[in-house]
Amino acid sequence: MIQKPRGTMDILPGESEKWQFIENAARNVCKKRGFNEIRFPTFEETQLFQRGVGNTTDVVQKEMYTFIDRDGTSYSLRPEGTASVSRAVIENGLAYDTMPLKLFYIINCFRHERPQAGRYREFYQFGAELFGATTPSADVELIALANDFLKTLGITGIKLHVNSIGCPSCRPAYKNALVKYFSSKSNELCETCQNRLNTNPLRILDCKSPVCSKIAFDAPKTTDHLCPECSAHFEGLKARLDACQIEYTVDPHIVRGLDYYTRTVFEFISENIGAQSTVCGGGRYDGLVEQIGGPALSGIGFAAGINRLVLSMENGSKYNQKKNSVDLYIATLGEAASVKATEICSELLKKGYSAETDIVGRSLKAQMKYANKINAKNTLIIGDGELESGKAQFRNMENGEQSEALLSDLEKLENLLK
Ligand code: ATP
Ligand code: MG
């Protein structure tokens, strides 16, 4: 028996409806705010992610699915969407369109991680990116989109955490302060964080190990080291979040894992799903487009993890499971009746109804059992006698009422279905 790869999942009927509910909510909120869908390849040249996501990140160093193609090119399955979207924006000349450019996507992503609840090797993201606007209003537009989306799902216990990690002009000084602080305690840090001290000290702030997070608690805060421009930007952001009545906490430990972030970073964190609790993360990445060979074009984006949202829905949401149902099921006896039923179903489907008839060759009794199983709202039974008389028994399965249907009069049959 061949099984699915570790860390992947089959999403079966009964469960897939929850995913559709989330995806529909994403599409609806994007439409309202003028975000349009972009689709892009599942794999890209590895160097796009090395340059776009960053060589010092866990994602690029340890988690990518990389393969060498027949012509020797190194490709990787996308571990996230932002680098690909930025590549597509440059390659298709969208960077020269009217700004802002507002895009969204719903994609599968691949990361070679240790599978556990809320962490998979193939997982799904709903993401949005906003290019060509550097104001705090743009940040709030995007955060509000994520907030609308989560509110539409009606999942409770999700909190917004925001922070500013400064820009290339104020971050070096902050990094120095941070390295100084952590160096004095470096032998207590976990092994990964001891390395991070040299490569990516900001990441120590969001290390999940209890010892590191305890040490990080008293570390210098980014918000105390912002340059006047970054500080004004952050104040502008908070004022507008207040204006939209979006609740938030300023959290100096939000730094985000990927290298490309500047100024605003944020996460929506769920209280109900255990350790893998960030359901949506994002931030501003003003240098990214240039870094991968494009023009100077600012951007801000987020990605929400759909798997984790499905997990949090188990603790209450606006999703209520409606059973799929069929307007009419036609049970048949004999070849001629089956042909007639096929004809009626085909006509009803053209008119927009849902209709099914037996295609397995079941007995009449088994067909009626099946009609119940698929939640048929109405049934019609056709045999040789009905064909001869042109009349058949129609039954409303919800209230049990029976009536006579004329097989030659489709309009009357439609009236019964209404
Ligand atoms: P984490 O700290 O949980 O590893 P991350 O910082 O690596 O998250 P991002 O790259 O920001 O995550 O991805 C955005 C969102 O995608 C996350 O907030 C999370 O909801 C989801 N996500 C990331 N990695 C996985 C995974 N392996 N399995 C399921 N969902 C994931
Ligand atoms: Mg991660």
Side-chain angles (χ1 to χ4, degrees):
M1 174 44 206
I2 299 170
Q3 295 183 328
K4 64 179 182 300
R6 222 163 100 73
T8 64
M9 53 167 68
D10 300 314
I11 301 158
L12 305 179
E15 189 68 10
S16 59
E17 291 80 1
K18 287 185 198 160
W19 291 71
Q20 289 169 14
F21 169 73
I22 293 175
E23 288 161 13
N24 290 339
R27 290 180 191 283
N28 288 338
V29 293
C30 284
K31 200 166 175 197
K32 272 172 81 180
R33 289 182 181 266
F35 282 74
N36 295 310
E37 183 174 6
I38 180 166
R39 298 189 185 203
F40 45 87
T42 309
F43 60 99
E44 299 269 0
E45 279 195 39
T46 302
Q47 24 162 343
L48 173 69
F49 302 118
Q50 288 171 336
R51 280 159 66 186
V53 178
N55 256 325
T56 63
T57 58
D58 287 354
V59 170
V60 168
Q61 279 185 351
K62 301 186 235 166
E63 298 171 2
M64 280 210 295
Y65 280 93
T66 298
F67 63 96
I68 306 297
D69 208 348
R70 284 154 212 246
D71 66 357
T73 313
S74 174
Y75 289 107
S76 297
L77 299 184
R78 56 185 175 207
E80 53 109 58
T82 307
S84 308
V85 173
S86 302
R87 196 259 320 129
V89 164
I90 301 167
E91 191 168 339
N92 297 285
L94 303 184
Y96 304 101
D97 273 2
T98 313
M99 291 297 146
L101 174 64
K102 301 196 249 181
L103 302 169
F104 83 90
Y105 54 82
I106 297 172
I107 58 169
N108 53 348
C109 299
F110 306 86
R111 295 185 193 177
H112 194 278
E113 304 202 64
R114 194 170 66 79
Q116 51 197 293
R119 196 175 290 289
Y120 312 93
R121 291 185 173 171
E122 182 183 27
F123 61 98
Y124 292 79
Q125 286 188 341
F126 156 49
E129 317 285 350
L130 194 163
F131 293 94
T134 54
T135 62
S137 300
D139 301 28
V140 173
E141 167 79 6
L142 192 96
I143 294 175
L145 173 71
N147 189 65
D148 287 354
F149 165 64
L150 296 168
K151 285 277 172 324
T152 313
L153 301 181
I155 301 170
T156 50
I158 294 180
K159 296 241 155 70
L160 169 63
H161 294 229
V162 297
N163 190 23
S164 173
I165 54 168
C167 67
S169 90
C170 53
R171 204 178 312 154
Y174 174 66
K175 260 193 188 170
N176 283 341
L178 208 56
V179 171
K180 205 169 148 212
Y181 172 82
F182 284 122
S183 294
S184 64
K185 308 172 167 30
S186 74
N187 48 359
E188 294 166 58
L189 294 172
C190 74
E191 206 177 307
T192 319
C193 282
Q194 292 191 7
N195 289 325
R196 283 176 176 152
L197 206 46
N198 302 315
T199 55
N200 200 346
L202 257 74
R203 292 278 353 234
I204 304 174
L205 292 172
D206 79 342
C207 180
K208 306 286 188 286
S209 110
V211 179
C212 294
S213 39
K214 198 157 167 242
I215 297 173
F217 191 80
D218 292 319
K221 294 185 171 67
T222 48
T223 43
D224 293 337
H225 290 77
L226 299 177
C227 62
E229 291 77 16
C230 286
S231 182
H233 187 95
F234 196 47
E235 292 308 313
L237 169 80
K238 291 188 285 183
R240 284 167 180 78
L241 288 174
D242 292 336
C244 301
Q245 296 185 313
I246 297 175
E247 282 175 35
Y248 60 90
T249 316
V250 175
D251 179 347
H253 298 282
I254 302 288
V255 291
R256 311 291 302 132
L258 314 182
D259 265 358
Y260 48 58
Y261 290 108
T262 48
R263 290 191 171 165
T264 307
V265 289
F266 60 92
E267 290 185 5
F268 286 88
I269 298 174
S270 164
E271 293 169 340
N272 303 328
I273 52 171
Q276 270 61 53
S277 55
T278 301
V279 291
C280 176
R284 178 164 279 289
Y285 49 84
D286 289 344
L288 172 64
V289 176
E290 246 177 321
Q291 201 167 309
I292 58 171
L297 180 68
S298 63
I300 177 161
F302 70 73
I306 300 180
N307 308 66
R308 290 185 195 173
L309 289 170
V310 171
L311 286 176
S312 18
M313 276 168 63
E314 268 135 47
N315 301 301
S317 79
K318 286 192 183 147
Y319 173 75
N320 49 35
Q321 194 169 10
K322 270 190 245 124
K323 265 200 197 155
N324 285 335
S325 62
V326 182
D327 293 323
L328 181 67
Y329 179 80
I330 308 180
T332 60
L333 202 62
E335 170 66 9
S338 164
V339 172
K340 184 69 187 170
T342 305
E343 178 196 317
I344 297 173
C345 283
S346 159
E347 290 303 318
L348 287 174
L349 285 161
K350 279 184 211 156
K351 300 208 169 221
Y353 295 95
S354 53
E356 284 185 38
T357 185
D358 176 56
I359 54 173
V360 173
R362 289 192 167 96
S363 72
L364 201 55
K365 196 173 154 203
Q367 288 182 54
M368 294 313 285
K369 217 169 140 189
Y370 177 74
N372 258 326
K373 179 156 187 239
I374 62 171
N375 219 5
K377 291 187 205 154
N378 304 285
T379 56
L380 192 65
I381 301 174
I382 308 179
D384 286 339
E386 284 76 11
L387 284 178
E388 218 161 275
S389 67
K391 293 177 200 154
Q393 194 194 73
F394 180 93
R395 180 198 276 266
N396 180 323
M397 302 290 275
E398 277 152 9
N399 59 19
E401 266 171 37
Q402 298 197 37
S403 43
E404 214 174 54
L406 293 176
L407 294 181
S408 55
D409 193 340
L410 196 69
E411 257 171 48
K412 272 221 178 110
L413 186 59
E414 271 188 77
N415 281 337
L416 290 171
L417 292 177
K418 275 173 193 160

